[in-house]
Amino acid sequence: MGMKRVKVRVPATTANLGPGFDVLGLALRLYNTVEMEVGPGKSGRKLQIDIVGEGEENLPRDRRNIVYRAAQLVFDRFHLAPKTLHLKLINRIPLASGLGSSAAARIGGLVSANRLCGERLSIKEILNLAAEIEGHADNVSAAMVGGLVVSCISSPKGRKGREIEFVKLNPPKNLSCVVCIPSFQIMTRYARKILPKTVKFEQAVFTSSRVTILLAALIKKRYELLRMAMEDKLHQPYRRRLVKGMEVVFEEALKAGALGVSLSGAGPSILAFTASSPPSCAEKVGKAMRKAFARHKVKSRYLVLGIDKQGTKIV
Ligand code: HSE
């Protein structure tokens, strides 16, 4: 393997959208970039990782780094061992905030390494690897292909391993995403541990009805249905204790004109959909959310983001 270089841009993602637990993902116009350079090197194996932006103070810069680890999976699969590897990570996606930063890191590592290996893995193969290491498919699928993505991990009979199935839908038009990001973090692993092992039939039916209406409402632009369609009884009721003020933030966002609101992924960020025009609408909702968090002594900031349609791109 000679000297080679690639630069990849990966979007943030919001998963679940309320009732679509582990199934729905939406890519957002907020991006991390991964620059990877591999070379023959002089002696021994060398790794250099530079990080700018989110996590620059505390993310590992050695073999524990998850971009590096994802890339290494691809190199290992093809029995390629670059002697030197230089990663430059520009991180704009807040960490452990429910905006798909780890999905973006893993997809960034896999796609970059795959490019340097001559694009030997298909999108689906990349997603199979990404979902396996991430544990769920919603963020990684949306980060990879962009837009609104429905996905699940299936176990086809007679075949080894689990596989991702995904469908990319036309992203909803004329909607803005207001993401209110509290200043504390939640590890998804922990936010999954606190979920119950079983739920009541009524909770399951409530949630499956909402997620079905949600997709129909997004596809048919029946945005007046979003408020009801983003209700959920599978995970949000259990995660509210991790996000102080969650319900009040939901209420205030809706009062300020949000069309629908949910926890973003496993939280703690909260996502609100608003009409994209006038732009003041999204700003008003963002401010109302910040204020509601502040009432619970939670510092936060908000971003108004459009929907990313392209997914991961070599730039
Ligand atoms: N569906 C996952 C969860 C998303 O809610 O745990 C994590 O971003």
Side-chain angles (χ1 to χ4, degrees):
M1 202 181 211
M3 177 79 91
K4 285 180 179 173
R5 183 186 302 171
V6 66
K7 185 172 175 183
V8 164
R9 189 185 85 164
V10 195
T13 45
T14 180
N16 303 335
L17 307 182
F21 181 77
D22 279 5
V23 176
L24 292 183
L26 181 69
L28 302 171
R29 289 202 187 153
L30 175 72
Y31 302 95
N32 282 1
T33 60
V34 171
E35 270 180 77
M36 185 181 290
E37 186 175 302
V38 294
K42 287 178 195 129
S43 59
R45 295 184 54 161
K46 267 174 57 189
L47 171 67
Q48 184 188 337
I49 303 180
D50 302 323
I51 303 174
V52 179
E54 302 287 340
E56 64 184 9
E57 266 137 42
N58 46 19
L59 283 176
R61 287 179 164 75
D62 54 23
R63 291 176 203 281
R64 291 168 302 165
N65 183 283
I66 64 171
V67 178
Y68 167 79
R69 276 165 46 187
Q72 205 51 46
L73 277 181
V74 179
F75 294 132
D76 285 347
R77 172 165 298 198
F78 298 118
H79 309 291
L80 293 168
K83 290 237 167 50
T84 63
L85 196 149
H86 183 187
L87 278 176
K88 184 171 180 193
L89 311 179
I90 300 182
N91 291 344
R92 296 190 188 86
I93 308 172
L95 302 176
S97 297
L99 291 168
S101 65
S102 72
R106 299 190 210 278
I107 290 289
L110 292 169
V111 169
S112 305
N114 187 45
R115 176 75 167 199
L116 297 183
C117 290
E119 308 268 12
R120 287 196 243 174
L121 296 175
S122 66
I123 290 181
K124 199 153 162 199
E125 286 169 321
I126 292 176
L127 282 179
N128 288 342
L129 279 174
E132 194 181 318
I133 47 182
E134 182 81 355
H136 42 94
D138 43 5
N139 294 98
V140 291
S141 305
M144 185 72 199
V145 300
L148 175 64
V149 183
V150 187
S151 63
C152 75
I153 302 180
S154 68
S155 318
K157 272 201 195 122
R159 272 198 255 159
K160 265 198 207 150
R162 305 190 307 163
E163 285 203 15
I164 286 210
E165 294 300 344
F166 72 91
V167 178
K168 177 176 174 176
L169 299 168
N170 281 335
K173 283 201 178 111
N174 310 323
L175 282 186
S176 282
C177 305
V178 187
V179 182
C180 191
I181 310 161
S183 60
F184 67 93
Q185 302 185 329
I186 296 179
M187 298 307 291
T188 300
R189 216 180 318 115
Y190 179 65
R192 291 176 81 83
K193 255 199 206 136
I194 64 149
L195 299 176
K197 292 258 175 311
T198 57
V199 293
K200 289 208 177 90
F201 191 74
E202 176 272 327
Q203 286 173 284
V205 173
F206 178 100
T207 308
S208 62
S209 66
R210 294 323 187 259
V211 75
T212 316
I213 293 279
L214 174 58
L215 280 180
L218 289 171
I219 293 167
K220 296 280 191 184
K221 301 183 193 63
R222 294 277 306 276
Y223 297 151
E224 78 282 3
L225 294 174
L226 291 180
R227 180 185 189 133
M228 176 271 286
M230 287 171 79
E231 290 173 348
D232 147 72
K233 287 198 179 176
L234 280 189
H235 69 109
Q236 291 181 172
Y238 304 98
R239 287 173 165 170
R240 60 189 277 259
R241 70 180 172 90
L242 304 180
V243 185
K244 234 168 92 189
M246 183 184 95
E247 273 134 345
V248 180
V249 178
F250 281 14
E251 266 166 42
E252 293 301 322
L254 292 167
K255 265 195 224 158
L259 295 161
V261 63
S262 70
L263 208 53
S264 182
S269 296
I270 292 178
L271 163 80
F273 282 125
T274 67
S276 52
S277 83
S280 58
C281 193
E283 297 296 332
K284 192 172 160 205
V285 169
K287 283 178 191 147
M289 290 164 94
R290 271 195 64 187
K291 216 164 133 192
F293 264 133
R295 265 167 47 198
H296 289 84
K297 305 208 163 29
V298 176
K299 271 196 202 135
S300 67
R301 63 191 168 107
Y302 73 88
L303 300 173
V304 178
L305 301 169
I307 295 166
D308 165 90
K309 299 185 182 70
Q310 292 177 306
T312 298
K313 236 176 78 170
I314 312 270
V315 287

